[in-house]
Coordinates of all heavy atoms in Angstrom, one line a residue:
R1 N -32.8 5.3 -5.0 CA -32.3 6.6 -4.5 C -30.8 6.6 -4.2 O -30.2 7.5 -4.7 CB -33.1 7.0 -3.5 CG -32.8 8.5 -3.0 CD -33.8 9.0 -2.0 NE -33.6 10.3 -1.8 CZ -34.2 11.1 -1.0 NH1 -35.2 10.5 -0.3 NH2 -33.9 12.3 -0.7
Y2 N -30.4 5.5 -3.5 CA -29.1 5.5 -3.2 C -28.2 5.1 -4.3 O -27.1 5.7 -4.6 CB -28.8 4.5 -2.0 CG -29.3 5.0 -0.7 CD1 -30.3 4.4 -0.1 CD2 -28.5 5.9 0.0 CE1 -30.7 4.8 1.1 CE2 -29.0 6.4 1.2 CZ -30.1 5.8 1.9 OH -30.5 6.3 3.0
G3 N -28.7 4.4 -5.3 CA -28.1 4.0 -6.4 C -27.7 5.2 -7.2 O -26.5 5.4 -7.9
A4 N -28.7 6.1 -7.3 CA -28.5 7.4 -8.1 C -27.4 8.3 -7.5 O -26.6 8.9 -8.1 CB -29.7 8.0 -8.4
H5 N -27.5 8.3 -6.1 CA -26.5 9.2 -5.3 C -25.1 8.6 -5.5 O -24.1 9.5 -5.6 CB -26.9 9.1 -3.9 CG -26.0 9.9 -2.9 ND1 -26.0 11.3 -3.0 CD2 -25.0 9.5 -2.0 CE1 -25.0 11.6 -2.1 NE2 -24.5 10.6 -1.5
F6 N -24.9 7.3 -5.5 CA -23.5 6.6 -5.4 C -23.1 6.5 -6.9 O -22.0 6.0 -7.1 CB -23.4 5.3 -4.6 CG -23.6 5.6 -3.1 CD1 -24.7 5.2 -2.4 CD2 -22.6 6.4 -2.5 CE1 -24.9 5.4 -1.0 CE2 -22.7 6.6 -1.1 CZ -23.8 6.2 -0.4
G7 N -24.0 6.5 -7.7 CA -23.6 6.3 -9.3 C -23.4 4.8 -9.6 O -22.6 4.4 -10.4
R8 N -24.1 3.8 -8.9 CA -24.0 2.4 -9.1 C -25.3 1.9 -8.6 O -26.1 2.5 -7.8 CB -22.8 1.8 -8.6 CG -22.8 1.8 -7.1 CD -21.7 0.9 -6.4 NE -21.7 0.6 -5.2 CZ -22.4 -0.6 -4.6 NH1 -23.1 -1.3 -5.4 NH2 -22.3 -0.7 -3.4
R9 N -25.5 0.7 -9.1 CA -26.7 -0.2 -8.7 C -26.6 -0.6 -7.2 O -25.4 -1.0 -7.0 CB -26.9 -1.2 -9.6 CG -28.2 -2.0 -9.5 CD -28.4 -3.2 -10.4 NE -29.5 -4.0 -10.1 CZ -29.5 -5.0 -9.3 NH1 -28.4 -5.3 -8.5 NH2 -30.6 -5.7 -9.0
V10 N -27.5 -0.4 -6.5 CA -27.4 -1.0 -5.1 C -28.5 -2.1 -5.0 O -29.7 -1.9 -5.3 CB -27.8 0.1 -4.0 CG1 -27.8 -0.4 -2.6 CG2 -26.6 1.2 -4.1
D11 N -28.1 -3.3 -4.5 CA -28.9 -4.5 -4.4 C -29.5 -4.5 -3.0 O -28.7 -4.8 -2.0 CB -28.2 -5.7 -4.7 CG -29.0 -6.9 -4.7 OD1 -30.0 -6.9 -4.0 OD2 -28.5 -8.0 -5.1
A12 N -30.7 -4.1 -2.9 CA -31.2 -4.0 -1.4 C -31.3 -5.3 -0.6 O -31.1 -5.3 0.6 CB -32.7 -3.4 -1.5
L13 N -31.4 -6.3 -1.3 CA -31.3 -7.6 -0.6 C -30.0 -8.1 -0.2 O -29.9 -9.0 0.9 CB -32.1 -8.7 -1.4 CG -33.5 -8.5 -1.7 CD1 -34.1 -9.6 -2.6 CD2 -34.4 -8.4 -0.5
E14 N -29.0 -7.7 -0.9 CA -27.6 -8.1 -0.6 C -26.7 -7.2 0.1 O -25.7 -7.4 0.8 CB -27.0 -8.7 -1.8 CG -27.7 -9.9 -2.4 CD -27.4 -11.1 -1.6 OE1 -26.4 -11.3 -0.9 OE2 -28.3 -12.0 -1.6
E15 N -27.0 -5.8 -0.1 CA -26.3 -4.8 0.3 C -26.8 -3.7 1.3 O -26.1 -2.8 1.7 CB -25.7 -4.0 -0.9 CG -25.0 -4.8 -1.9 CD -24.6 -4.0 -3.1 OE1 -25.5 -3.2 -3.7 OE2 -23.5 -4.1 -3.5
V16 N -27.9 -3.9 1.9 CA -28.6 -3.0 2.7 C -29.0 -3.9 4.1 O -29.6 -4.8 3.9 CB -29.8 -2.3 2.0 CG1 -30.5 -1.4 3.1 CG2 -29.4 -1.5 0.9
A17 N -28.7 -3.2 5.2 CA -29.3 -3.7 6.4 C -30.2 -2.8 7.2 O -29.7 -1.6 7.3 CB -28.1 -4.2 7.4
V18 N -31.3 -3.0 7.4 CA -32.2 -2.1 8.0 C -32.2 -2.5 9.5 O -32.4 -3.7 9.8 CB -33.8 -2.2 7.4 CG1 -34.7 -1.1 8.2 CG2 -33.6 -1.8 6.0
T19 N -32.0 -1.4 10.2 CA -31.8 -1.9 11.7 C -32.8 -0.9 12.6 O -33.4 0.2 11.9 CB -30.5 -1.6 12.3 OG1 -30.2 -0.1 12.3 CG2 -29.5 -2.4 11.5
V20 N -33.1 -1.2 13.9 CA -34.0 -0.4 14.7 C -33.2 0.8 15.3 O -33.7 1.5 16.0 CB -34.7 -1.2 15.6 CG1 -35.7 -2.1 14.9 CG2 -33.8 -2.1 16.6
G21 N -31.9 0.8 15.2 CA -31.1 1.8 15.8 C -29.7 1.6 15.7 O -29.1 0.7 15.0
A22 N -28.9 2.5 16.4 CA -27.5 2.5 16.1 C -26.8 1.3 16.8 O -25.9 0.8 16.3 CB -26.9 3.8 16.7
T23 N -27.4 0.8 17.9 CA -26.7 -0.4 18.6 C -26.8 -1.6 17.7 O -25.9 -2.4 17.5 CB -27.5 -0.7 19.9 OG1 -27.3 0.5 20.8 CG2 -27.0 -1.9 20.6
Q24 N -27.9 -1.8 17.1 CA -28.1 -3.0 16.2 C -27.2 -2.9 15.0 O -26.6 -3.6 14.4 CB -29.6 -3.2 15.9 CG -29.7 -4.4 15.0 CD -31.2 -4.7 14.7 OE1 -32.0 -3.6 14.7 NE2 -31.6 -6.0 14.3
A25 N -27.2 -1.6 14.3 CA -26.5 -1.3 13.2 C -24.9 -1.5 13.4 O -24.3 -2.0 12.6 CB -26.6 0.2 12.8
L26 N -24.5 -1.1 14.6 CA -23.1 -1.4 14.9 C -22.7 -2.9 14.9 O -21.7 -3.4 14.4 CB -22.6 -0.7 16.2 CG -21.3 -0.8 16.7 CD1 -20.3 -0.3 15.6 CD2 -21.0 -0.2 18.0
L27 N -23.6 -3.6 15.7 CA -23.4 -5.1 15.9 C -23.5 -5.8 14.4 O -22.7 -6.5 14.1 CB -24.5 -5.6 16.8 CG -24.3 -7.2 16.9 CD1 -23.0 -7.6 17.4 CD2 -25.4 -7.7 17.8
V28 N -24.5 -5.4 13.6 CA -24.5 -6.0 12.2 C -23.3 -5.6 11.5 O -22.8 -6.6 10.7 CB -25.7 -5.4 11.5 CG1 -25.8 -5.9 10.2 CG2 -27.1 -6.1 12.1
S29 N -22.8 -4.5 11.6 CA -21.5 -4.1 10.9 C -20.4 -4.9 11.4 O -19.5 -5.4 10.6 CB -21.2 -2.5 11.1 OG -22.3 -1.7 10.5
L30 N -20.2 -5.0 12.7 CA -19.1 -5.8 13.2 C -19.1 -7.2 12.7 O -18.2 -7.8 12.4 CB -19.0 -5.7 14.7 CG -18.7 -4.4 15.4 CD1 -18.8 -4.3 16.9 CD2 -17.2 -4.0 15.0
L31 N -20.4 -7.8 12.8 CA -20.5 -9.1 12.3 C -20.1 -9.4 11.0 O -19.7 -10.4 10.5 CB -22.0 -9.7 12.7 CG -22.3 -9.9 14.1 CD1 -23.8 -10.1 14.3 CD2 -21.5 -11.1 14.7
A32 N -20.3 -8.5 10.1 CA -20.1 -8.4 8.8 C -18.7 -8.3 8.3 O -18.3 -8.9 7.3 CB -20.9 -7.3 7.9
I33 N -18.0 -7.5 9.1 CA -16.6 -7.2 8.6 C -15.4 -7.8 9.5 O -14.3 -8.0 9.0 CB -16.3 -5.7 8.5 CG1 -16.4 -5.0 9.9 CG2 -17.3 -5.0 7.6 CD1 -15.9 -3.6 10.0
L34 N -15.6 -8.3 10.6 CA -14.6 -8.8 11.5 C -14.4 -10.4 11.2 O -15.3 -11.1 11.1 CB -15.0 -8.7 13.0 CG -14.9 -7.2 13.4 CD1 -15.2 -7.2 15.1 CD2 -13.6 -6.7 13.3
D35 N -13.3 -10.6 11.2 CA -12.7 -12.1 11.4 C -12.3 -12.3 12.8 O -12.0 -11.4 13.5 CB -11.5 -12.4 10.5 CG -11.9 -12.3 8.9 OD1 -12.9 -12.6 8.5 OD2 -11.0 -11.8 8.1
K36 N -12.3 -13.6 13.2 CA -11.9 -14.0 14.6 C -10.6 -13.4 14.9 O -9.7 -13.5 14.1 CB -12.0 -15.5 14.7 CG -11.8 -15.9 16.1 CD -12.0 -17.4 16.2 CE -11.9 -17.8 17.6 NZ -13.2 -18.0 18.3
H37 N -10.5 -12.8 16.0 CA -9.3 -12.1 16.6 C -8.9 -10.8 16.1 O -7.8 -10.3 16.3 CB -8.2 -13.1 16.7 CG -8.4 -14.4 17.4 ND1 -8.8 -14.4 18.9 CD2 -8.5 -15.6 17.0 CE1 -9.0 -15.6 19.2 NE2 -8.8 -16.5 18.1
D38 N -9.6 -10.3 15.1 CA -9.5 -8.9 14.5 C -9.5 -8.0 15.7 O -10.3 -8.0 16.6 CB -10.4 -8.4 13.4 CG -9.9 -9.1 12.1 OD1 -9.0 -9.7 11.8 OD2 -10.8 -9.0 11.3
E39 N -8.6 -6.9 15.7 CA -8.6 -6.0 16.8 C -9.4 -4.7 16.3 O -9.5 -4.5 15.1 CB -7.2 -5.5 16.9 CG -6.2 -6.5 17.5 CD -4.8 -6.0 17.6 OE1 -4.4 -5.1 16.8 OE2 -4.0 -6.5 18.4
V40 N -10.2 -4.2 17.3 CA -11.1 -3.1 17.0 C -10.7 -2.0 18.0 O -10.7 -2.1 19.2 CB -12.6 -3.5 17.3 CG1 -13.6 -2.4 17.0 CG2 -12.9 -4.8 16.4
V41 N -10.3 -1.0 17.4 CA -9.7 0.2 18.3 C -11.0 1.1 18.7 O -11.8 1.4 17.9 CB -8.8 1.2 17.4 CG1 -8.6 2.5 18.2 CG2 -7.7 0.6 17.0
I42 N -11.2 1.2 20.0 CA -12.3 1.8 20.5 C -12.0 3.0 21.3 O -11.3 2.7 22.4 CB -13.1 0.8 21.4 CG1 -13.6 -0.4 20.6 CG2 -14.4 1.5 21.9 CD1 -14.2 -1.5 21.5
P43 N -12.2 4.3 20.8 CA -11.9 5.4 21.7 C -12.6 5.4 23.1 O -13.7 4.9 23.2 CB -12.4 6.5 20.8 CG -12.5 6.0 19.4 CD -12.7 4.6 19.6
E44 N -11.7 5.7 24.1 CA -12.2 5.6 25.5 C -12.4 6.9 26.0 O -11.4 7.6 26.0 CB -11.3 4.7 26.2 CG -11.7 4.4 27.5 CD -10.7 3.4 28.4 OE1 -9.5 3.5 27.8 OE2 -11.0 2.8 29.3
P45 N -13.3 7.4 26.9 CA -14.5 6.5 27.2 C -15.5 6.1 26.2 O -15.6 6.8 25.1 CB -15.2 7.4 28.3 CG -14.9 8.8 27.8 CD -13.6 8.8 27.2
F46 N -16.0 4.9 26.3 CA -17.0 4.4 25.5 C -18.3 3.8 26.2 O -18.2 3.5 27.3 CB -16.2 3.4 24.6 CG -15.5 2.3 25.3 CD1 -16.1 1.2 25.9 CD2 -14.2 2.5 25.3 CE1 -15.5 0.3 26.5 CE2 -13.5 1.5 26.1 CZ -14.2 0.3 26.7
F47 N -19.3 3.5 25.4 CA -20.4 2.9 25.9 C -20.1 1.4 26.0 O -19.6 0.8 25.3 CB -21.6 3.1 24.8 CG -22.9 2.6 25.3 CD1 -23.5 2.9 26.4 CD2 -23.6 1.7 24.3 CE1 -24.7 2.4 26.8 CE2 -24.9 1.3 24.7 CZ -25.4 1.6 25.9
D48 N -20.3 0.9 27.5 CA -19.8 -0.4 27.7 C -20.3 -1.6 26.8 O -19.7 -2.6 26.7 CB -20.1 -0.7 29.1 CG -21.7 -0.7 29.5 OD1 -22.5 -0.3 28.6 OD2 -22.0 -1.1 30.6
L49 N -21.4 -1.3 26.0 CA -22.0 -2.3 25.3 C -21.0 -2.6 24.1 O -21.0 -3.7 23.5 CB -23.2 -1.9 24.7 CG -24.1 -2.8 23.7 CD1 -24.4 -4.0 24.5 CD2 -25.3 -2.1 23.2
Y50 N -20.1 -1.7 23.6 CA -19.3 -1.9 22.6 C -18.3 -3.2 22.9 O -17.9 -3.8 21.9 CB -18.4 -0.7 22.4 CG -19.1 0.6 21.9 CD1 -18.5 1.7 21.8 CD2 -20.4 0.5 21.5 CE1 -19.2 2.9 21.4 CE2 -21.1 1.7 21.0 CZ -20.6 2.9 21.0 OH -21.1 3.9 20.7
L51 N -17.8 -3.3 24.1 CA -17.0 -4.4 24.4 C -17.8 -5.8 24.1 O -17.1 -6.6 23.5 CB -16.6 -4.5 25.8 CG -15.8 -3.2 26.1 CD1 -15.4 -3.2 27.7 CD2 -14.4 -3.1 25.4
G52 N -18.9 -5.9 24.5 CA -19.7 -7.2 24.3 C -20.0 -7.4 22.8 O -19.9 -8.4 22.3
Q53 N -20.2 -6.3 22.1 CA -20.5 -6.4 20.8 C -19.3 -6.8 19.9 O -19.4 -7.7 19.0 CB -21.0 -5.1 20.1 CG -22.5 -4.8 20.5 CD -23.0 -3.5 19.9 OE1 -22.2 -2.7 19.6 NE2 -24.2 -3.5 19.5
C54 N -18.2 -6.4 20.3 CA -16.8 -6.6 19.7 C -16.6 -8.1 19.9 O -16.2 -8.9 19.1 CB -15.9 -5.7 20.2 SG -14.1 -6.0 19.6
A55 N -16.8 -8.6 21.2 CA -16.4 -9.9 21.5 C -17.5 -10.9 20.8 O -17.0 -11.9 20.3 CB -16.6 -10.2 23.1
L56 N -18.7 -10.5 20.9 CA -19.8 -11.3 20.1 C -19.4 -11.6 18.7 O -19.6 -12.6 18.1 CB -21.0 -10.7 20.3 CG -22.3 -11.4 19.6 CD1 -22.4 -12.9 20.4 CD2 -23.5 -10.6 19.8
A57 N -18.9 -10.5 18.0 CA -18.4 -10.6 16.5 C -17.0 -11.3 16.5 O -16.6 -11.3 15.2 CB -18.5 -9.3 16.0
G58 N -16.4 -11.8 17.5 CA -15.1 -12.4 17.3 C -13.9 -11.4 17.3 O -12.8 -11.9 17.3
G59 N -14.2 -10.1 17.7 CA -13.1 -9.2 17.6 C -12.5 -9.0 19.1 O -12.9 -9.6 20.1
V60 N -11.3 -8.4 19.1 CA -10.6 -8.1 20.3 C -10.6 -6.5 20.4 O -10.0 -5.8 19.7 CB -9.1 -8.6 20.2 CG1 -8.3 -8.2 21.5 CG2 -9.2 -10.1 20.1
P61 N -11.2 -6.1 21.5 CA -11.2 -4.6 21.7 C -9.9 -4.0 22.1 O -9.2 -4.7 23.0 CB -12.3 -4.3 22.8 CG -12.4 -5.7 23.5 CD -12.0 -6.7 22.5
V62 N -9.5 -2.9 21.5 CA -8.2 -2.2 21.9 C -8.7 -0.7 22.3 O -8.9 0.0 21.5 CB -7.3 -2.1 20.8 CG1 -5.9 -1.5 21.1 CG2 -6.9 -3.6 20.3
P63 N -8.7 -0.5 23.6 CA -9.1 0.8 24.0 C -8.0 1.9 23.6 O -6.9 1.5 23.7 CB -9.1 0.7 25.6 CG -9.4 -0.8 25.8 CD -8.5 -1.5 24.9
A64 N -8.4 3.0 23.2 CA -7.5 4.1 22.9 C -8.1 5.3 23.7 O -9.0 6.1 23.4 CB -7.6 4.4 21.4
P65 N -7.4 5.5 24.9 CA -7.8 6.6 25.8 C -7.8 8.0 25.2 O -6.8 8.4 24.5 CB -7.0 6.5 27.0 CG -6.3 5.2 26.9 CD -6.3 4.8 25.5
M66 N -8.9 8.8 25.4 CA -9.0 10.1 24.8 C -8.6 11.0 26.1 O -8.8 10.5 27.3 CB -10.4 10.5 24.2 CG -10.7 9.7 23.0 SD -12.1 10.3 22.2 CE -13.4 10.1 23.3
T67 N -8.4 12.3 25.8 CA -8.1 13.2 26.9 C -9.0 14.4 26.7 O -9.5 14.7 25.6 CB -6.6 13.6 26.9 OG1 -6.3 14.2 25.7 CG2 -5.8 12.5 27.2
V68 N -9.2 15.2 27.7 CA -9.9 16.5 27.6 C -9.0 17.5 27.3 O -8.0 17.6 28.1 CB -10.9 16.7 28.9 CG1 -11.5 18.0 28.8 CG2 -11.7 15.6 29.2
D69 N -9.3 18.3 26.3 CA -8.4 19.5 25.9 C -8.7 20.7 26.8 O -9.6 20.7 27.6 CB -8.3 19.6 24.4 CG -9.6 20.3 23.9 OD1 -10.5 20.7 24.7 OD2 -9.9 20.4 22.7
E70 N -8.0 21.7 26.5 CA -8.1 23.0 27.3 C -9.5 23.6 27.1 O -9.9 24.5 27.9 CB -7.1 24.0 26.9 CG -7.0 24.4 25.4 CD -6.4 23.5 24.4 OE1 -5.7 22.4 24.9 OE2 -6.5 23.7 23.1
T71 N -10.2 23.3 26.1 CA -11.6 23.8 25.8 C -12.6 23.0 26.5 O -13.9 23.2 26.4 CB -11.9 24.0 24.3 OG1 -12.0 22.7 23.7 CG2 -11.0 24.9 23.7
G72 N -12.2 21.8 27.1 CA -13.2 20.8 27.7 C -13.7 19.8 26.8 O -14.7 19.1 27.1
E73 N -13.2 19.6 25.5 CA -13.6 18.7 24.5 C -12.8 17.5 24.7 O -11.6 17.6 24.9 CB -13.5 19.3 23.1 CG -14.5 20.5 22.9 CD -15.9 20.1 22.8 OE1 -16.3 19.0 22.5 OE2 -16.7 20.9 23.3
W74 N -13.5 16.3 24.5 CA -12.7 15.0 24.3 C -11.9 14.9 23.0 O -12.5 15.3 22.0 CB -13.6 13.8 24.4 CG -14.1 13.7 25.8 CD1 -15.3 14.0 26.4 CD2 -13.5 13.1 27.0 NE1 -15.6 13.7 27.7 CE2 -14.4 13.0 28.1 CE3 -12.2 12.4 27.1 CZ2 -14.0 12.5 29.2 CZ3 -11.8 11.8 28.2 CH2 -12.8 11.8 29.4
R75 N -10.7 14.6 23.0 CA -9.8 14.5 21.8 C -9.0 13.2 21.9 O -8.6 12.7 23.0 CB -8.8 15.6 21.8 CG -9.4 17.0 21.9 CD -10.0 17.3 20.4 NE -10.6 18.7 20.5 CZ -11.6 19.1 19.9 NH1 -12.1 18.3 19.0 NH2 -12.1 20.3 19.9
L76 N -8.9 12.5 20.7 CA -8.1 11.3 20.6 C -6.9 11.9 19.8 O -6.9 12.2 18.7 CB -8.9 10.3 19.7 CG -8.1 9.0 19.4 CD1 -7.7 8.3 20.7 CD2 -8.9 8.2 18.5
A77 N -5.7 11.8 20.6 CA -4.5 12.2 20.1 C -4.0 11.0 18.9 O -4.2 9.8 19.0 CB -3.4 12.1 21.1
S78 N -3.5 11.6 17.8 CA -3.0 10.7 16.7 C -2.0 9.8 17.3 O -1.9 8.5 16.9 CB -2.5 11.6 15.7 OG -1.4 12.3 15.9
S79 N -1.0 10.1 18.3 CA -0.1 9.2 18.7 C -0.9 8.0 19.6 O -0.3 6.9 19.5 CB 0.9 10.0 19.7 OG 0.2 10.6 20.8
T80 N -1.9 8.4 20.2 CA -2.6 7.3 20.9 C -3.2 6.3 19.9 O -3.2 5.0 20.1 CB -3.7 7.9 21.8 OG1 -3.1 8.8 22.7 CG2 -4.5 6.8 22.6
L81 N -3.8 6.8 18.8 CA -4.4 6.0 17.9 C -3.4 5.2 17.1 O -3.5 3.9 16.9 CB -5.1 7.0 16.8 CG -5.8 6.0 15.5 CD1 -6.8 5.2 16.1 CD2 -6.4 7.1 14.7
I82 N -2.2 5.7 16.9 CA -1.1 5.0 16.1 C -0.7 3.7 17.0 O -0.4 2.7 16.6 CB 0.0 5.9 15.8 CG1 -0.4 6.9 14.6 CG2 1.3 5.2 15.4 CD1 0.5 7.9 14.3
R83 N -0.5 4.0 18.3 CA 0.0 3.1 19.4 C -1.1 1.9 19.3 O -0.8 0.6 19.5 CB 0.2 3.6 20.7 CG 1.5 4.3 20.8 CD 1.8 4.5 22.3 NE 0.8 5.2 23.0 CZ 0.6 6.6 23.0 NH1 1.6 7.3 22.5 NH2 -0.3 7.1 23.7
A84 N -2.3 2.2 19.2 CA -3.5 1.2 19.3 C -3.7 0.3 18.1 O -4.1 -0.8 18.1 CB -4.8 2.0 19.6
I85 N -3.0 0.8 17.0 CA -3.1 0.0 15.7 C -2.0 -1.1 15.7 O -0.9 -0.7 15.8 CB -3.0 0.9 14.5 CG1 -4.2 1.9 14.5 CG2 -3.0 0.1 13.2 CD1 -4.1 3.0 13.4
G86 N -2.5 -2.3 15.5 CA -1.6 -3.4 15.5 C -1.7 -4.2 14.1 O -2.6 -3.9 13.2
P87 N -1.1 -5.3 14.1 CA -1.2 -6.1 12.8 C -2.6 -6.8 12.5 O -2.9 -7.0 11.4 CB -0.2 -7.3 13.0 CG 0.0 -7.4 14.3 CD -0.1 -6.0 15.1
R88 N -3.4 -6.8 13.6 CA -4.8 -7.4 13.3 C -5.9 -6.3 13.3 O -7.0 -6.6 13.3 CB -5.1 -8.5 14.4 CG -4.2 -9.7 14.5 CD -4.5 -10.6 13.6 NE -5.9 -11.1 13.5 CZ -6.4 -12.0 12.7 NH1 -5.7 -12.8 12.2 NH2 -7.8 -12.2 12.7
T89 N -5.4 -5.2 13.3 CA -6.5 -4.0 13.3 C -7.1 -3.8 11.8 O -6.5 -3.7 11.0 CB -5.8 -2.6 13.8 OG1 -5.2 -2.9 14.9 CG2 -6.9 -1.5 14.0

């Protein structure tokens, strides 16, 4: 089904990870894509588990503080994101 949607063959044994939830899916993703000491920008506030998952996968967390706007919504300013991005991000 996904192959038809994406217009290419999908190898379920090599390209699909089935997880029991978002926490496991995030960890599997980090383990798959991070090299040791890669930086991971994490919008803050964040779920504290993200720091441990990042470290377990060899990454270095880089918090990017969000602010509450005039409507009460959390927003990540583009300037904050740009400052958080480094050579290992």
Side-chain angles (χ1 to χ4, degrees):
R1 183 175 187 178
Y2 286 108
H5 178 73
F6 291 116
R8 69 174 192 83
R9 184 178 177 280
V10 176
D11 183 342
L13 295 177
E14 296 290 328
E15 300 176 314
V16 176
V18 177
T19 69
V20 296
T23 298
Q24 186 182 20
L26 180 59
L27 178 59
V28 169
S29 299
L30 291 171
L31 289 168
I33 64 173
L34 289 182
D35 290 324
K36 191 172 177 93
H37 304 299
D38 278 353
E39 296 174 335
V40 179
V41 177
I42 305 174
E44 184 179 25
F46 51 80
F47 186 48
D48 61 351
L49 183 64
Y50 296 169
L51 296 177
Q53 288 185 326
C54 182
L56 183 63
V60 177
V62 179
M66 296 191 301
T67 57
V68 178
D69 69 11
E70 61 280 350
T71 67
E73 297 292 324
W74 287 98
R75 303 284 180 206
L76 177 59
S78 58
S79 58
T80 301
L81 179 59
I82 290 167
R83 279 193 308 274
I85 297 172
R88 298 279 316 185
T89 307

